[in-house]
PDB file of all heavy atoms in Angstrom:
ATOM      1  N   LEU A   1     -75.652  57.369  22.044  1.00  0.00           N
ATOM      2  CA  LEU A   1     -75.067  56.308  22.867  1.00  0.00           C
ATOM      3  C   LEU A   1     -75.650  56.329  24.278  1.00  0.00           C
ATOM      4  O   LEU A   1     -75.967  55.280  24.851  1.00  0.00           O
ATOM      5  CB  LEU A   1     -73.543  56.461  22.946  1.00  0.00           C
ATOM      6  CG  LEU A   1     -72.705  56.016  21.759  1.00  0.00           C
ATOM      7  CD1 LEU A   1     -71.223  56.203  22.081  1.00  0.00           C
ATOM      8  CD2 LEU A   1     -72.987  54.570  21.395  1.00  0.00           C
ATOM      9  N   LEU A   2     -75.772  57.520  24.851  1.00  0.00           N
ATOM     10  CA  LEU A   2     -76.307  57.637  26.210  1.00  0.00           C
ATOM     11  C   LEU A   2     -77.717  57.061  26.282  1.00  0.00           C
ATOM     12  O   LEU A   2     -78.072  56.379  27.254  1.00  0.00           O
ATOM     13  CB  LEU A   2     -76.317  59.099  26.648  1.00  0.00           C
ATOM     14  CG  LEU A   2     -74.964  59.816  26.701  1.00  0.00           C
ATOM     15  CD1 LEU A   2     -75.145  61.247  27.175  1.00  0.00           C
ATOM     16  CD2 LEU A   2     -73.977  59.078  27.593  1.00  0.00           C
ATOM     17  N   GLN A   3     -78.494  57.321  25.250  1.00  0.00           N
ATOM     18  CA  GLN A   3     -79.864  56.799  25.220  1.00  0.00           C
ATOM     19  C   GLN A   3     -79.876  55.295  25.000  1.00  0.00           C
ATOM     20  O   GLN A   3     -80.606  54.563  25.681  1.00  0.00           O
ATOM     21  CB  GLN A   3     -80.668  57.500  24.124  1.00  0.00           C
ATOM     22  CG  GLN A   3     -82.126  57.066  24.064  1.00  0.00           C
ATOM     23  CD  GLN A   3     -82.925  57.888  23.066  1.00  0.00           C
ATOM     24  OE1 GLN A   3     -82.394  58.757  22.384  1.00  0.00           O
ATOM     25  NE2 GLN A   3     -84.216  57.607  22.987  1.00  0.00           N
ATOM     26  N   ASP A   4     -79.052  54.828  24.075  1.00  0.00           N
ATOM     27  CA  ASP A   4     -79.034  53.396  23.738  1.00  0.00           C
ATOM     28  C   ASP A   4     -78.610  52.538  24.927  1.00  0.00           C
ATOM     29  O   ASP A   4     -79.114  51.412  25.096  1.00  0.00           O
ATOM     30  CB  ASP A   4     -78.086  53.135  22.564  1.00  0.00           C
ATOM     31  CG  ASP A   4     -78.607  53.698  21.252  1.00  0.00           C
ATOM     32  OD1 ASP A   4     -79.812  54.041  21.195  1.00  0.00           O
ATOM     33  OD2 ASP A   4     -77.806  53.811  20.304  1.00  0.00           O
ATOM     34  N   TYR A   5     -77.676  53.058  25.730  1.00  0.00           N
ATOM     35  CA  TYR A   5     -77.143  52.277  26.853  1.00  0.00           C
ATOM     36  C   TYR A   5     -77.705  52.727  28.202  1.00  0.00           C
ATOM     37  O   TYR A   5     -77.198  52.332  29.251  1.00  0.00           O
ATOM     38  CB  TYR A   5     -75.611  52.336  26.851  1.00  0.00           C
ATOM     39  CG  TYR A   5     -75.000  51.533  25.717  1.00  0.00           C
ATOM     40  CD1 TYR A   5     -74.699  52.143  24.501  1.00  0.00           C
ATOM     41  CD2 TYR A   5     -74.751  50.172  25.850  1.00  0.00           C
ATOM     42  CE1 TYR A   5     -74.148  51.412  23.444  1.00  0.00           C
ATOM     43  CE2 TYR A   5     -74.203  49.437  24.807  1.00  0.00           C
ATOM     44  CZ  TYR A   5     -73.900  50.057  23.610  1.00  0.00           C
ATOM     45  OH  TYR A   5     -73.358  49.333  22.583  1.00  0.00           O
ATOM     46  N   ASN A   6     -78.754  53.542  28.170  1.00  0.00           N
ATOM     47  CA  ASN A   6     -79.488  53.932  29.369  1.00  0.00           C
ATOM     48  C   ASN A   6     -78.579  54.585  30.429  1.00  0.00           C
ATOM     49  O   ASN A   6     -78.632  54.257  31.613  1.00  0.00           O
ATOM     50  CB  ASN A   6     -80.200  52.710  29.974  1.00  0.00           C
ATOM     51  CG  ASN A   6     -81.302  53.100  30.923  1.00  0.00           C
ATOM     52  OD1 ASN A   6     -81.941  54.141  30.752  1.00  0.00           O
ATOM     53  ND2 ASN A   6     -81.525  52.279  31.942  1.00  0.00           N
ATOM     54  N   ILE A   7     -77.731  55.516  29.982  1.00  0.00           N
ATOM     55  CA  ILE A   7     -76.881  56.281  30.893  1.00  0.00           C
ATOM     56  C   ILE A   7     -77.665  57.517  31.324  1.00  0.00           C
ATOM     57  O   ILE A   7     -77.936  58.406  30.513  1.00  0.00           O
ATOM     58  CB  ILE A   7     -75.555  56.684  30.215  1.00  0.00           C
ATOM     59  CG1 ILE A   7     -74.802  55.441  29.730  1.00  0.00           C
ATOM     60  CG2 ILE A   7     -74.698  57.497  31.179  1.00  0.00           C
ATOM     61  CD1 ILE A   7     -74.375  54.481  30.804  1.00  0.00           C
ATOM     62  N   ARG A   8     -78.028  57.582  32.600  1.00  0.00           N
ATOM     63  CA  ARG A   8     -78.936  58.614  33.096  1.00  0.00           C
ATOM     64  C   ARG A   8     -78.252  59.751  33.833  1.00  0.00           C
ATOM     65  O   ARG A   8     -78.847  60.826  34.021  1.00  0.00           O
ATOM     66  CB  ARG A   8     -79.959  57.973  34.044  1.00  0.00           C
ATOM     67  CG  ARG A   8     -80.789  56.859  33.421  1.00  0.00           C
ATOM     68  CD  ARG A   8     -81.700  57.384  32.355  1.00  0.00           C
ATOM     69  NE  ARG A   8     -82.631  56.360  31.869  1.00  0.00           N
ATOM     70  CZ  ARG A   8     -83.490  56.559  30.894  1.00  0.00           C
ATOM     71  NH1 ARG A   8     -83.558  57.724  30.284  1.00  0.00           N
ATOM     72  NH2 ARG A   8     -84.299  55.584  30.507  1.00  0.00           N
ATOM     73  N   LYS A   9     -77.034  59.525  34.305  1.00  0.00           N
ATOM     74  CA  LYS A   9     -76.406  60.518  35.190  1.00  0.00           C
ATOM     75  C   LYS A   9     -75.684  61.647  34.463  1.00  0.00           C
ATOM     76  O   LYS A   9     -75.195  62.579  35.101  1.00  0.00           O
ATOM     77  CB  LYS A   9     -75.432  59.834  36.151  1.00  0.00           C
ATOM     78  CG  LYS A   9     -76.116  59.065  37.269  1.00  0.00           C
ATOM     79  CD  LYS A   9     -75.114  58.573  38.292  1.00  0.00           C
ATOM     80  CE  LYS A   9     -75.812  57.833  39.419  1.00  0.00           C
ATOM     81  NZ  LYS A   9     -74.847  57.308  40.410  1.00  0.00           N
ATOM     82  N   VAL A  10     -75.572  61.566  33.147  1.00  0.00           N
ATOM     83  CA  VAL A  10     -74.938  62.657  32.411  1.00  0.00           C
ATOM     84  C   VAL A  10     -75.905  63.836  32.403  1.00  0.00           C
ATOM     85  O   VAL A  10     -76.892  63.852  31.668  1.00  0.00           O
ATOM     86  CB  VAL A  10     -74.562  62.250  30.975  1.00  0.00           C
ATOM     87  CG1 VAL A  10     -74.026  63.463  30.210  1.00  0.00           C
ATOM     88  CG2 VAL A  10     -73.510  61.145  31.002  1.00  0.00           C
ATOM     89  N   GLY A  11     -75.601  64.830  33.237  1.00  0.00           N
ATOM     90  CA  GLY A  11     -76.475  65.985  33.348  1.00  0.00           C
ATOM     91  C   GLY A  11     -76.218  67.031  32.289  1.00  0.00           C
ATOM     92  O   GLY A  11     -77.123  67.773  31.904  1.00  0.00           O
ATOM     93  N   LYS A  12     -74.963  67.077  31.801  1.00  0.00           N
ATOM     94  CA  LYS A  12     -74.612  68.089  30.805  1.00  0.00           C
ATOM     95  C   LYS A  12     -73.625  67.522  29.797  1.00  0.00           C
ATOM     96  O   LYS A  12     -72.693  66.808  30.158  1.00  0.00           O
ATOM     97  CB  LYS A  12     -74.002  69.321  31.488  1.00  0.00           C
ATOM     98  CG  LYS A  12     -74.985  70.081  32.366  1.00  0.00           C
ATOM     99  CD  LYS A  12     -74.357  71.338  32.939  1.00  0.00           C
ATOM    100  CE  LYS A  12     -75.376  72.097  33.781  1.00  0.00           C
ATOM    101  NZ  LYS A  12     -74.806  73.334  34.372  1.00  0.00           N
ATOM    102  N   LEU A  13     -73.861  67.864  28.532  1.00  0.00           N
ATOM    103  CA  LEU A  13     -72.887  67.625  27.467  1.00  0.00           C
ATOM    104  C   LEU A  13     -72.271  68.974  27.139  1.00  0.00           C
ATOM    105  O   LEU A  13     -72.964  69.876  26.653  1.00  0.00           O
ATOM    106  CB  LEU A  13     -73.562  67.030  26.235  1.00  0.00           C
ATOM    107  CG  LEU A  13     -73.958  65.552  26.292  1.00  0.00           C
ATOM    108  CD1 LEU A  13     -74.728  65.172  25.041  1.00  0.00           C
ATOM    109  CD2 LEU A  13     -72.728  64.678  26.437  1.00  0.00           C
ATOM    110  N   VAL A  14     -70.985  69.112  27.399  1.00  0.00           N
ATOM    111  CA  VAL A  14     -70.304  70.401  27.290  1.00  0.00           C
ATOM    112  C   VAL A  14     -69.356  70.380  26.105  1.00  0.00           C
ATOM    113  O   VAL A  14     -68.691  69.368  25.834  1.00  0.00           O
ATOM    114  CB  VAL A  14     -69.527  70.708  28.592  1.00  0.00           C
ATOM    115  CG1 VAL A  14     -68.758  72.014  28.480  1.00  0.00           C
ATOM    116  CG2 VAL A  14     -70.494  70.756  29.774  1.00  0.00           C
ATOM    117  N   ARG A  15     -69.279  71.487  25.409  1.00  0.00           N
ATOM    118  CA  ARG A  15     -68.385  71.630  24.248  1.00  0.00           C
ATOM    119  C   ARG A  15     -66.928  71.611  24.723  1.00  0.00           C
ATOM    120  O   ARG A  15     -66.534  72.397  25.588  1.00  0.00           O
ATOM    121  CB  ARG A  15     -68.689  72.939  23.525  1.00  0.00           C
ATOM    122  CG  ARG A  15     -67.847  73.196  22.282  1.00  0.00           C
ATOM    123  CD  ARG A  15     -68.069  74.611  21.777  1.00  0.00           C
ATOM    124  NE  ARG A  15     -67.346  74.881  20.550  1.00  0.00           N
ATOM    125  CZ  ARG A  15     -67.879  74.840  19.340  1.00  0.00           C
ATOM    126  NH1 ARG A  15     -69.168  74.578  19.196  1.00  0.00           N
ATOM    127  NH2 ARG A  15     -67.158  75.087  18.264  1.00  0.00           N
ATOM    128  N   GLY A  16     -66.122  70.744  24.137  1.00  0.00           N
ATOM    129  CA  GLY A  16     -64.725  70.630  24.520  1.00  0.00           C
ATOM    130  C   GLY A  16     -63.850  71.707  23.916  1.00  0.00           C
ATOM    131  O   GLY A  16     -64.208  72.335  22.918  1.00  0.00           O
ATOM    132  N   GLY A  17     -62.681  71.910  24.526  1.00  0.00           N
ATOM    133  CA  GLY A  17     -61.711  72.858  24.025  1.00  0.00           C
ATOM    134  C   GLY A  17     -60.683  72.181  23.127  1.00  0.00           C
ATOM    135  O   GLY A  17     -60.764  70.976  22.850  1.00  0.00           O
ATOM    136  N   LYS A  18     -59.692  72.946  22.694  1.00  0.00           N
ATOM    137  CA  LYS A  18     -58.667  72.412  21.801  1.00  0.00           C
ATOM    138  C   LYS A  18     -57.801  71.376  22.503  1.00  0.00           C
ATOM    139  O   LYS A  18     -57.405  70.369  21.911  1.00  0.00           O
ATOM    140  CB  LYS A  18     -57.799  73.560  21.268  1.00  0.00           C
ATOM    141  CG  LYS A  18     -56.759  73.129  20.245  1.00  0.00           C
ATOM    142  CD  LYS A  18     -55.984  74.317  19.710  1.00  0.00           C
ATOM    143  CE  LYS A  18     -54.932  73.876  18.696  1.00  0.00           C
ATOM    144  NZ  LYS A  18     -54.141  75.027  18.180  1.00  0.00           N
ATOM    145  N   GLU A  19     -57.491  71.622  23.766  1.00  0.00           N
ATOM    146  CA  GLU A  19     -56.660  70.720  24.555  1.00  0.00           C
ATOM    147  C   GLU A  19     -57.448  70.204  25.757  1.00  0.00           C
ATOM    148  O   GLU A  19     -58.466  70.782  26.146  1.00  0.00           O
ATOM    149  CB  GLU A  19     -55.382  71.432  25.038  1.00  0.00           C
ATOM    150  CG  GLU A  19     -54.519  71.993  23.923  1.00  0.00           C
ATOM    151  CD  GLU A  19     -53.915  70.925  23.030  1.00  0.00           C
ATOM    152  OE1 GLU A  19     -53.830  69.753  23.478  1.00  0.00           O
ATOM    153  OE2 GLU A  19     -53.544  71.253  21.886  1.00  0.00           O
ATOM    154  N   ARG A  20     -56.956  69.134  26.371  1.00  0.00           N
ATOM    155  CA  ARG A  20     -57.635  68.528  27.518  1.00  0.00           C
ATOM    156  C   ARG A  20     -57.851  69.539  28.636  1.00  0.00           C
ATOM    157  O   ARG A  20     -58.918  69.588  29.250  1.00  0.00           O
ATOM    158  CB  ARG A  20     -56.817  67.339  28.036  1.00  0.00           C
ATOM    159  CG  ARG A  20     -57.455  66.628  29.237  1.00  0.00           C
ATOM    160  CD  ARG A  20     -56.512  65.583  29.812  1.00  0.00           C
ATOM    161  NE  ARG A  20     -57.147  64.782  30.850  1.00  0.00           N
ATOM    162  CZ  ARG A  20     -57.248  65.155  32.112  1.00  0.00           C
ATOM    163  NH1 ARG A  20     -56.794  66.339  32.499  1.00  0.00           N
ATOM    164  NH2 ARG A  20     -57.832  64.354  33.003  1.00  0.00           N
ATOM    165  N   GLN A  21     -56.827  70.348  28.923  1.00  0.00           N
ATOM    166  CA  GLN A  21     -56.933  71.321  30.000  1.00  0.00           C
ATOM    167  C   GLN A  21     -58.110  72.271  29.773  1.00  0.00           C
ATOM    168  O   GLN A  21     -58.872  72.572  30.699  1.00  0.00           O
ATOM    169  CB  GLN A  21     -55.624  72.109  30.120  1.00  0.00           C
ATOM    170  CG  GLN A  21     -55.612  73.144  31.234  1.00  0.00           C
ATOM    171  CD  GLN A  21     -54.230  73.750  31.424  1.00  0.00           C
ATOM    172  OE1 GLN A  21     -53.215  73.089  31.180  1.00  0.00           O
ATOM    173  NE2 GLN A  21     -54.164  74.985  31.858  1.00  0.00           N
ATOM    174  N   GLN A  22     -58.264  72.723  28.552  1.00  0.00           N
ATOM    175  CA  GLN A  22     -59.368  73.625  28.228  1.00  0.00           C
ATOM    176  C   GLN A  22     -60.716  72.907  28.355  1.00  0.00           C
ATOM    177  O   GLN A  22     -61.709  73.494  28.805  1.00  0.00           O
ATOM    178  CB  GLN A  22     -59.188  74.171  26.809  1.00  0.00           C
ATOM    179  CG  GLN A  22     -57.937  75.020  26.641  1.00  0.00           C
ATOM    180  CD  GLN A  22     -57.596  75.271  25.181  1.00  0.00           C
ATOM    181  OE1 GLN A  22     -58.017  74.522  24.301  1.00  0.00           O
ATOM    182  NE2 GLN A  22     -56.836  76.326  24.918  1.00  0.00           N
ATOM    183  N   SER A  23     -60.747  71.628  27.969  1.00  0.00           N
ATOM    184  CA  SER A  23     -61.986  70.858  28.068  1.00  0.00           C
ATOM    185  C   SER A  23     -62.423  70.694  29.516  1.00  0.00           C
ATOM    186  O   SER A  23     -63.604  70.854  29.854  1.00  0.00           O
ATOM    187  CB  SER A  23     -61.809  69.490  27.405  1.00  0.00           C
ATOM    188  OG  SER A  23     -61.676  69.613  26.004  1.00  0.00           O
ATOM    189  N   VAL A  24     -61.472  70.367  30.382  1.00  0.00           N
ATOM    190  CA  VAL A  24     -61.800  70.225  31.801  1.00  0.00           C
ATOM    191  C   VAL A  24     -62.299  71.555  32.364  1.00  0.00           C
ATOM    192  O   VAL A  24     -63.292  71.599  33.110  1.00  0.00           O
ATOM    193  CB  VAL A  24     -60.590  69.722  32.598  1.00  0.00           C
ATOM    194  CG1 VAL A  24     -60.895  69.740  34.106  1.00  0.00           C
ATOM    195  CG2 VAL A  24     -60.206  68.306  32.166  1.00  0.00           C
ATOM    196  N   TYR A  25     -61.640  72.633  31.999  1.00  0.00           N
ATOM    197  CA  TYR A  25     -62.038  73.958  32.471  1.00  0.00           C
ATOM    198  C   TYR A  25     -63.477  74.275  32.058  1.00  0.00           C
ATOM    199  O   TYR A  25     -64.279  74.776  32.861  1.00  0.00           O
ATOM    200  CB  TYR A  25     -61.064  75.004  31.929  1.00  0.00           C
ATOM    201  CG  TYR A  25     -61.219  76.401  32.483  1.00  0.00           C
ATOM    202  CD1 TYR A  25     -61.757  76.630  33.738  1.00  0.00           C
ATOM    203  CD2 TYR A  25     -60.810  77.506  31.741  1.00  0.00           C
ATOM    204  CE1 TYR A  25     -61.891  77.916  34.243  1.00  0.00           C
ATOM    205  CE2 TYR A  25     -60.932  78.792  32.233  1.00  0.00           C
ATOM    206  CZ  TYR A  25     -61.474  78.994  33.487  1.00  0.00           C
ATOM    207  OH  TYR A  25     -61.604  80.279  33.990  1.00  0.00           O
ATOM    208  N   GLU A  26     -63.828  73.956  30.829  1.00  0.00           N
ATOM    209  CA  GLU A  26     -65.201  74.176  30.372  1.00  0.00           C
ATOM    210  C   GLU A  26     -66.183  73.335  31.182  1.00  0.00           C
ATOM    211  O   GLU A  26     -67.287  73.788  31.518  1.00  0.00           O
ATOM    212  CB  GLU A  26     -65.329  73.860  28.883  1.00  0.00           C
ATOM    213  CG  GLU A  26     -64.583  74.812  27.964  1.00  0.00           C
ATOM    214  CD  GLU A  26     -65.020  76.260  28.150  1.00  0.00           C
ATOM    215  OE1 GLU A  26     -66.238  76.492  28.270  1.00  0.00           O
ATOM    216  OE2 GLU A  26     -64.150  77.147  28.175  1.00  0.00           O
ATOM    217  N   GLY A  27     -65.791  72.109  31.477  1.00  0.00           N
ATOM    218  CA  GLY A  27     -66.649  71.254  32.295  1.00  0.00           C
ATOM    219  C   GLY A  27     -66.841  71.791  33.695  1.00  0.00           C
ATOM    220  O   GLY A  27     -67.955  71.772  34.234  1.00  0.00           O
ATOM    221  N   LEU A  28     -65.782  72.304  34.292  1.00  0.00           N
ATOM    222  CA  LEU A  28     -65.860  72.872  35.640  1.00  0.00           C
ATOM    223  C   LEU A  28     -66.765  74.100  35.663  1.00  0.00           C
ATOM    224  O   LEU A  28     -67.548  74.295  36.601  1.00  0.00           O
ATOM    225  CB  LEU A  28     -64.467  73.253  36.133  1.00  0.00           C
ATOM    226  CG  LEU A  28     -63.489  72.098  36.392  1.00  0.00           C
ATOM    227  CD1 LEU A  28     -62.092  72.643  36.659  1.00  0.00           C
ATOM    228  CD2 LEU A  28     -63.967  71.233  37.553  1.00  0.00           C
ATOM    229  N   LYS A  29     -66.670  74.924  34.629  1.00  0.00           N
ATOM    230  CA  LYS A  29     -67.492  76.132  34.573  1.00  0.00           C
ATOM    231  C   LYS A  29     -68.974  75.800  34.392  1.00  0.00           C
ATOM    232  O   LYS A  29     -69.840  76.584  34.785  1.00  0.00           O
ATOM    233  CB  LYS A  29     -67.013  77.042  33.434  1.00  0.00           C
ATOM    234  CG  LYS A  29     -65.657  77.698  33.716  1.00  0.00           C
ATOM    235  CD  LYS A  29     -65.314  78.754  32.685  1.00  0.00           C
ATOM    236  CE  LYS A  29     -64.996  78.165  31.339  1.00  0.00           C
ATOM    237  NZ  LYS A  29     -64.535  79.193  30.363  1.00  0.00           N
ATOM    238  N   ALA A  30     -69.261  74.633  33.822  1.00  0.00           N
ATOM    239  CA  ALA A  30     -70.650  74.234  33.592  1.00  0.00           C
ATOM    240  C   ALA A  30     -71.310  73.649  34.833  1.00  0.00           C
ATOM    241  O   ALA A  30     -72.524  73.444  34.857  1.00  0.00           O
ATOM    242  CB  ALA A  30     -70.715  73.213  32.455  1.00  0.00           C
ATOM    243  N   MET A  31     -70.505  73.381  35.883  1.00  0.00           N
ATOM    244  CA  MET A  31     -71.029  72.795  37.110  1.00  0.00           C
ATOM    245  C   MET A  31     -71.583  73.849  38.051  1.00  0.00           C
ATOM    246  O   MET A  31     -71.203  75.018  37.979  1.00  0.00           O
ATOM    247  CB  MET A  31     -69.901  72.064  37.859  1.00  0.00           C
ATOM    248  CG  MET A  31     -69.461  70.758  37.288  1.00  0.00           C
ATOM    249  SD  MET A  31     -68.080  70.112  38.266  1.00  0.00           S
ATOM    250  CE  MET A  31     -68.796  70.119  39.933  1.00  0.00           C
ATOM    251  N   GLU A  32     -72.436  73.399  38.957  1.00  0.00           N
ATOM    252  CA  GLU A  32     -72.794  74.242  40.087  1.00  0.00           C
ATOM    253  C   GLU A  32     -71.599  74.299  41.025  1.00  0.00           C
ATOM    254  O   GLU A  32     -70.912  73.305  41.234  1.00  0.00           O
ATOM    255  CB  GLU A  32     -74.004  73.665  40.823  1.00  0.00           C
ATOM    256  CG  GLU A  32     -75.289  73.684  40.020  1.00  0.00           C
ATOM    257  CD  GLU A  32     -76.466  73.153  40.814  1.00  0.00           C
ATOM    258  OE1 GLU A  32     -76.306  72.922  42.039  1.00  0.00           O
ATOM    259  OE2 GLU A  32     -77.535  72.976  40.221  1.00  0.00           O
ATOM    260  N   GLU A  33     -71.327  75.473  41.591  1.00  0.00           N
ATOM    261  CA  GLU A  33     -70.145  75.648  42.432  1.00  0.00           C
ATOM    262  C   GLU A  33     -70.303  74.896  43.743  1.00  0.00           C
ATOM    263  O   GLU A  33     -71.390  74.782  44.299  1.00  0.00           O
ATOM    264  CB  GLU A  33     -69.900  77.137  42.697  1.00  0.00           C
ATOM    265  CG  GLU A  33     -69.606  77.923  41.435  1.00  0.00           C
ATOM    266  CD  GLU A  33     -68.378  78.815  41.576  1.00  0.00           C
ATOM    267  OE1 GLU A  33     -67.800  78.858  42.664  1.00  0.00           O
ATOM    268  OE2 GLU A  33     -68.019  79.444  40.578  1.00  0.00           O
ATOM    269  N   GLY A  34     -69.174  74.363  44.227  1.00  0.00           N
ATOM    270  CA  GLY A  34     -69.137  73.715  45.525  1.00  0.00           C
ATOM    271  C   GLY A  34     -69.060  72.207  45.436  1.00  0.00           C
ATOM    272  O   GLY A  34     -69.327  71.603  44.397  1.00  0.00           O
ATOM    273  N   GLY A  35     -68.673  71.593  46.549  1.00  0.00           N
ATOM    274  CA  GLY A  35     -68.612  70.145  46.644  1.00  0.00           C
ATOM    275  C   GLY A  35     -67.346  69.558  46.054  1.00  0.00           C
ATOM    276  O   GLY A  35     -66.443  70.263  45.616  1.00  0.00           O
ATOM    277  N   ILE A  36     -67.298  68.237  46.053  1.00  0.00           N
ATOM    278  CA  ILE A  36     -66.152  67.501  45.523  1.00  0.00           C
ATOM    279  C   ILE A  36     -66.376  67.195  44.051  1.00  0.00           C
ATOM    280  O   ILE A  36     -67.450  66.744  43.648  1.00  0.00           O
ATOM    281  CB  ILE A  36     -65.938  66.185  46.301  1.00  0.00           C
ATOM    282  CG1 ILE A  36     -65.601  66.463  47.765  1.00  0.00           C
ATOM    283  CG2 ILE A  36     -64.836  65.349  45.652  1.00  0.00           C
ATOM    284  CD1 ILE A  36     -64.293  67.211  47.973  1.00  0.00           C
ATOM    285  N   VAL A  37     -65.353  67.458  43.262  1.00  0.00           N
ATOM    286  CA  VAL A  37     -65.404  67.132  41.840  1.00  0.00           C
ATOM    287  C   VAL A  37     -64.262  66.178  41.507  1.00  0.00           C
ATOM    288  O   VAL A  37     -63.135  66.352  41.974  1.00  0.00           O
ATOM    289  CB  VAL A  37     -65.315  68.393  40.958  1.00  0.00           C
ATOM    290  CG1 VAL A  37     -64.052  69.191  41.217  1.00  0.00           C
ATOM    291  CG2 VAL A  37     -65.417  68.026  39.474  1.00  0.00           C
ATOM    292  N   LEU A  38     -64.573  65.158  40.736  1.00  0.00           N
ATOM    293  CA  LEU A  38     -63.557  64.266  40.192  1.00  0.00           C
ATOM    294  C   LEU A  38     -63.341  64.615  38.730  1.00  0.00           C
ATOM    295  O   LEU A  38     -64.285  65.029  38.035  1.00  0.00           O
ATOM    296  CB  LEU A  38     -63.997  62.804  40.290  1.00  0.00           C
ATOM    297  CG  LEU A  38     -63.646  62.024  41.559  1.00  0.00           C
ATOM    298  CD1 LEU A  38     -64.204  62.704  42.787  1.00  0.00           C
ATOM    299  CD2 LEU A  38     -64.133  60.585  41.460  1.00  0.00           C
ATOM    300  N   VAL A  39     -62.118  64.458  38.267  1.00  0.00           N
ATOM    301  CA  VAL A  39     -61.806  64.547  36.840  1.00  0.00           C
ATOM    302  C   VAL A  39     -61.267  63.184  36.432  1.00  0.00           C
ATOM    303  O   VAL A  39     -60.325  62.673  37.060  1.00  0.00           O
ATOM    304  CB  VAL A  39     -60.778  65.647  36.541  1.00  0.00           C
ATOM    305  CG1 VAL A  39     -60.508  65.716  35.041  1.00  0.00           C
ATOM    306  CG2 VAL A  39     -61.260  67.003  37.053  1.00  0.00           C
ATOM    307  N   HIS A  40     -61.877  62.591  35.422  1.00  0.00           N
ATOM    308  CA  HIS A  40     -61.501  61.234  35.036  1.00  0.00           C
ATOM    309  C   HIS A  40     -61.429  61.104  33.522  1.00  0.00           C
ATOM    310  O   HIS A  40     -62.299  61.607  32.796  1.00  0.00           O
ATOM    311  CB  HIS A  40     -62.510  60.227  35.583  1.00  0.00           C
ATOM    312  CG  HIS A  40     -62.126  58.798  35.334  1.00  0.00           C
ATOM    313  ND1 HIS A  40     -60.996  58.229  35.878  1.00  0.00           N
ATOM    314  CD2 HIS A  40     -62.731  57.819  34.586  1.00  0.00           C
ATOM    315  CE1 HIS A  40     -60.914  56.963  35.495  1.00  0.00           C
ATOM    316  NE2 HIS A  40     -61.940  56.695  34.697  1.00  0.00           N
ATOM    317  N   ASP A  41     -60.399  60.424  33.044  1.00  0.00           N
ATOM    318  CA  ASP A  41     -60.229  60.201  31.612  1.00  0.00           C
ATOM    319  C   ASP A  41     -61.342  59.307  31.073  1.00  0.00           C
ATOM    320  O   ASP A  41     -61.623  58.238  31.640  1.00  0.00           O
ATOM    321  CB  ASP A  41     -58.885  59.518  31.325  1.00  0.00           C
ATOM    322  CG  ASP A  41     -57.701  60.358  31.743  1.00  0.00           C
ATOM    323  OD1 ASP A  41     -57.774  61.586  31.596  1.00  0.00           O
ATOM    324  OD2 ASP A  41     -56.693  59.782  32.222  1.00  0.00           O
ATOM    325  N   GLY A  42     -61.942  59.718  29.966  1.00  0.00           N
ATOM    326  CA  GLY A  42     -62.956  58.895  29.335  1.00  0.00           C
ATOM    327  C   GLY A  42     -62.422  57.549  28.879  1.00  0.00           C
ATOM    328  O   GLY A  42     -63.185  56.595  28.703  1.00  0.00           O
TER     329      GLY A  42
END
């Protein structure tokens, strides 16, 4: 989908957890530390 619709800013595809909280945590750990982070529902 990312390729078909030319979405370029997705830097990482991260494996989700069982619950939303775990998924967000995995996403945060995959980031470089620092700066402002937004969490937004897909």
Side-chain angles (χ1 to χ4, degrees):
L1 282 182
L2 299 181
Q3 183 174 2
D4 290 345
Y5 288 93
N6 198 31
I7 302 297
R8 302 293 188 183
K9 286 188 179 178
V10 175
K12 293 184 178 180
L13 284 175
V14 177
R15 181 189 183 99
K18 184 177 179 181
E19 302 294 339
R20 180 187 187 277
Q21 181 172 330
Q22 297 166 338
S23 291
V24 173
Y25 188 26
E26 292 303 317
L28 293 171
K29 289 189 290 185
M31 286 177 55
E32 293 182 8
E33 297 228 357
I36 297 296
V37 58
L38 271 57
V39 181
H40 185 64
D41 298 324

